[in-house]
Each structure stands twice: as structure tokens, then as C-alpha cells.
Amino acid sequence: MRHTLLTALLIATPWSVHAETIYVQSVKAKLMSAPALTAQVVAEAPKGTAFDVIGSRDGWYEVRRDGATAWLSKLVAAPHQPLTKITVLPAADSAPVDNHARRRASVVTTAGAARGLAPAARARRDDTGSDYAALEKMEATHVTEEETRRFIEEGAAP
Amino acid sequence: MSRLLAALMLCLCGVTAAAAPAEFRSRLSQDASGGQGIGADVVAELRFGREIAARLLRRFPLYEDAALTRYVTLLGQSIARHGGRPELQYRFAVLDSDEVNAYAAPGGYIFVTRAAVAAAGNEAELAAVLAHEIAHVERRHIVEALQIRARDDGAHAGLALLLGGAGDSARIAFGQAVDRAVEILLSEGLQQADEFDADQGAAMLLSYAGYPATALARYLARLAPAEATTTALHRTHPPLAARMAALPEAAAAATAVTPAQHARFVEHLKTLRPAP
């Protein structure tokens, strides 16, 4: 009887529900042998990979997956699955990465327009110390994921 | 005895439910909604950052060099993809300023001055400057500095609450938050702890992107002789010596860049207008 109750107690403790799952957000994350940038890289995990958090130190999660443990920087992980690109700009901006992102962009564009980002509002608020023309020029400079990959590959060439 | 244990067990069960942290409860709802709740918060951050970016561009004109801007954008994107905010479309611009400095507005608007670009000794060092600014965005330092927080959730949700309203009071609050953010970026600077945090984040991003993690320390070392005269950087950042001491040893850097990276860096900077 006592054994059964103790088992029930252990199951009911708060720690049992604090097991947190985190997901890799970066294109590819490095799993380290210790919570330090200089530690050994033990594995790499692509975006979206889920890990159970079993500890935390400074800017690092101690994580477990398939029985193995390692350290993952908090900079590259979050407790939700990676989102697609989000924009508040008109749909003509920045080729979204996929159809899902394109749908999302249209939704937030509508929200943005409703909140005063229309051209007339922009011109009016220009008097308050903002340069929206320059901002739009900045936003017009766009590179695709494929162009970025090519840039990386070309740079890595010996 | 058994009644006591049963009561204790019930009590612990109650604590279990009540003590589940807000972050955990929030995660459950976010997962259930497929990230839609987070998406609304990101929209608020983008609106906020966009206004700050427009203010910065009124203060500093764009440096009109399309090839250089594209190069900086490609370099910045190659760093940002190793960060933890895939939902953000990072944007990069070179500002026509003789002051060595760089700025980051929420939502992924990154600015580097012409003088800061010219001060880089190679592509890795320019990447380090961008990585430092990207780390500010990744860590949401401006939002943290403004102490925009909801009662029981992270700073991000607090931003959505503050900026998501309608009406005059919401517009005033939005404008005040933008004013304060610009003041921090241009005059006061972020807290020193945030700058050191961004330095550490930059070292990590550089390493993940294949550049030497020591590149930022090397860049800062280049600035050191002129530190007394770089007033803007001095005003908004901790002393260079303290930053370098906290970073991976610059002297231990093995190499710098590949020949291809060196060639394109030289090519894009050769027409850069020097400081007067």
C-alpha cells in the first residue's frame, strides 16, 4: 500500500509536467558536448527538430533525444515550431518562401493597412521625423533563400 | 496515515496544476494554434520596428550603392539564417554616415554606417558587425529595454498588447514607445549587459555561419586606436577593451576568410566613399 502511494506521489509531483519540448529554429543547429561555444560538436540538427529539455545553464538548454543528451544554444531554439516568414508589407514585397507564407502575408498586410500604413498616412506622418521613402527603398532590396545559399557556397569555394 | 498521504497527494496534485509556469501554459496554447498567436505578436514587433527604422532613416540618409547594399544583405542573410527567428525577414541598409556605428530595430531592420563598413578588415569582420545587430533582434533587447511586458507572459506578448490597440490612446502609446526606442538607439544606448549579450550571440552566429568566432574581437581591436574620437560608438556601447576581454581571444584566430570571400569583399568596398 505504502509503495503504491509513494509511486502515486512521485507521479503527481510538479516536475513530471515541467518536461518542456523545444524546437530548432535555425537552419541547422549544433549540439555541443558542454554549454560552451568552444565545446565539441557532437551532432547537428535541422530546423524543426524537437528536443526534450532536461536542464538549463546560462544561455544553453541541456536536451535529450532518443536517449542521448547534449547542449543546445537558447539563441537557436524556442518552445514552438518554426514559423514561416511574416511581413506587414504589401504583397508585392519580398517573394514569400511558400504558399503558406503568402497567405499569411495577405492577412497581416490587411491588418497593417488598417493600422495606418496606407500611403496617405505615411505622407502625413513624414512630418514627424520619419523617412518612409527611404524605408521603402530599403525594403525593396530583397534576396531569395536560393541567392543566399549560392552566396554561401561561392564564399566557401577554395 | 493513509488518509494523511492521500491528502498530501491531493495537495501536490493541486500544486502541480497551479505551479505550471505561465510559459508552459502559453506554449500549449501556441502549439494548439499552430503558432498563430505568436504570429500576431510578430506583426506587432514588425510594425514597431518599421516605425523605428523610418525614424533612423530620417536621421541618417541611405548610402546609395545598390551593389554594396545587396552584398551586405546577402552577407546578413547568411548570418541570420543561423539565428532563432525564421519568421523574420531581415533587411539591411548602409547609412551614409562618417560615424562608426550600427543599429538594430525590432523585426529585423539592420543598419550599418558607411564608416563602420569601411572599418572592417575583411568579410568576417563585416559579418561580425551584422551578427552583433542580428543578436540584438534575436534577443529582443529593445523590447526588453522598454519594459513592455504583459503580466504573465513574455515581453513579446506585452508588445502585442501595447501596440495592438486602436484609438487615440493606443496611437499615443505607440508613438511614445517609438520615441523612447529611438532615444535609446541614438543617444543612451542599451544596457551594457545587452551589448555583451549581443557580442556573445554574434560570436555564436559567426561560428555557426562558418566565420571565425573571433572576428568581432578583431573588428573591435581595429577601432580601439580611434576609440576616443568615435563618439557615437562610445556613447552607446561599453568600452572596447571590456568587450574584447569578454569575447573569444582575437589573437587565437586561425584564419580569416577564404580567397573568394576576400575577393568579393574587396570588390564591393573598392568604391566606398572614404570618411572626410
Side-chain angles (χ1 to χ4, degrees), chain B residues 55 76 80 98 118 121 129 131 135 155 163 170 176 201 206 219 234 253 256:
Chain B
R55 295 280 187 94
D98 294 326
V129 176
L163 307 181
Q176 288 175 338
L206 285 168
Y219 181 80
H234 188 66

Side-chain angles (χ1 to χ4, degrees), chain A residues 66-150:
Chain A
D66 301 331
T69 63
W71 293 86
L72 181 63
S73 168
K74 290 182 178 177
L75 195 67
V76 302
H80 57 79
Q81 293 187 4
L83 305 180
T84 52
K85 290 271 188 285
I86 298 175
T87 178
V88 294
L89 304 183
D93 165 73
S94 71
V97 292
D98 60 29
N99 288 337
H100 179 63
R102 195 182 301 275
R103 285 196 301 277
R104 185 187 297 278
S106 67
V107 172
V108 298
T109 297
T110 303
R115 295 187 190 289
L117 296 178
R122 281 201 299 270
R124 190 167 61 249
R125 294 172 69 177
D126 219 4
D127 297 334
T128 65
S130 303
D131 189 338
Y132 293 99
L135 178 65
E136 287 170 2
K137 191 174 285 186
M138 175 185 185
E139 291 169 339
T141 301
H142 176 75
V143 297
T144 65
E145 178 65 24
E146 178 55 34
E147 288 171 322
T148 304
R149 270 199 296 268
R150 202 177 313 134

Side-chain angles (χ1 to χ4, degrees), chain B residues 75-97:
Chain B
L75 184 57
Q77 296 293 359
S78 71
I79 301 295
R81 68 203 295 270
H82 292 280
R85 310 236 14 224
E87 72 276 14
L88 296 183
Q89 178 66 62
Y90 276 91
R91 300 174 190 282
F92 300 85
V94 180
L95 301 175
D96 195 357
S97 169

Side-chain angles (χ1 to χ4, degrees), chain B:
Chain B
M1 177 65 180
S2 60
R3 263 202 306 242
L4 178 63
L5 281 172
L8 182 59
M9 193 174 75
L10 282 172
C11 181
L12 281 171
C13 286
V15 169
T16 300
E23 183 184 353
F24 182 73
R25 291 196 301 273
S26 172
R27 180 175 68 83
L28 289 178
S29 65
Q30 287 160 1
D31 286 350
S33 68
Q36 293 295 327
I38 305 170
D41 293 333
V42 174
V43 168
E45 182 184 357
L46 286 167
R47 286 183 51 231
F48 186 48
R50 196 168 189 272
E51 292 298 323
I52 295 167
R55 295 280 187 94
L56 289 174
L57 287 166
R58 183 66 170 252
R59 172 71 175 78
F60 301 104
L62 284 174
Y63 182 62
E64 304 276 2
D65 182 334
L68 176 64
T69 301
R70 180 176 168 77
Y71 171 64
V72 169
T73 300
L74 282 164
L75 184 57
Q77 296 293 359
S78 71
I79 301 295
R81 68 203 295 270
H82 292 280
R85 310 236 14 224
E87 72 276 14
L88 296 183
Q89 178 66 62
Y90 276 91
R91 300 174 190 282
F92 300 85
V94 180
L95 301 175
D96 195 357
S97 169
D98 294 326
E99 292 182 342
V100 174
N101 216 336
Y103 306 95
Y109 289 86
I110 307 294
F111 302 89
V112 57
T113 65
R114 174 172 48 76
V117 173
N122 58 36
E123 184 171 290
E125 292 178 14
L126 180 54
V129 176
L130 301 177
H132 174 91
E133 300 307 321
I134 289 167
H136 277 310
V137 174
E138 300 273 321
R139 302 283 204 198
R140 300 181 177 92
H141 282 152
I142 278 287
V143 176
E144 293 283 345
L146 295 175
Q147 296 183 311
I148 302 171
R149 286 179 176 280
R151 277 178 309 173
D152 64 348
D153 211 328
H156 213 194
L159 189 66
L161 280 179
L162 177 66
L163 307 181
D168 289 343
S169 59
R171 271 194 290 276
I172 289 169
F174 183 90
Q176 288 175 338
V178 172
D179 289 344
R180 184 77 188 106
V182 172
E183 194 178 334
I184 289 171
L185 285 174
L186 294 180
S187 302
E188 295 177 16
L190 289 159
Q191 291 188 7
Q192 294 210 353
D194 289 345
E195 295 297 344
F196 287 117
D197 188 38
D199 283 348
Q200 294 301 317
M204 186 164 298
L205 290 169
L206 285 168
S207 171
Y208 283 12
Y211 292 100
T214 53
L216 182 57
R218 283 177 169 258
Y219 181 80
L220 296 178
R222 269 181 217 286
L223 302 182
E227 183 174 20
T229 57
T230 51
T231 52
L233 190 65
H234 188 66
R235 189 172 60 235
T236 55
H237 288 75
L240 294 175
R243 294 177 66 188
M244 285 187 281
L247 281 165
E249 192 69 38
T255 58
V257 292
T258 66
Q261 288 168 339
H262 178 69
R264 67 191 181 190
F265 175 80
V266 170
E267 172 67 22
H268 284 99
L269 269 68
K270 70 182 181 187
T271 56
L272 192 68
R273 179 156 47 84

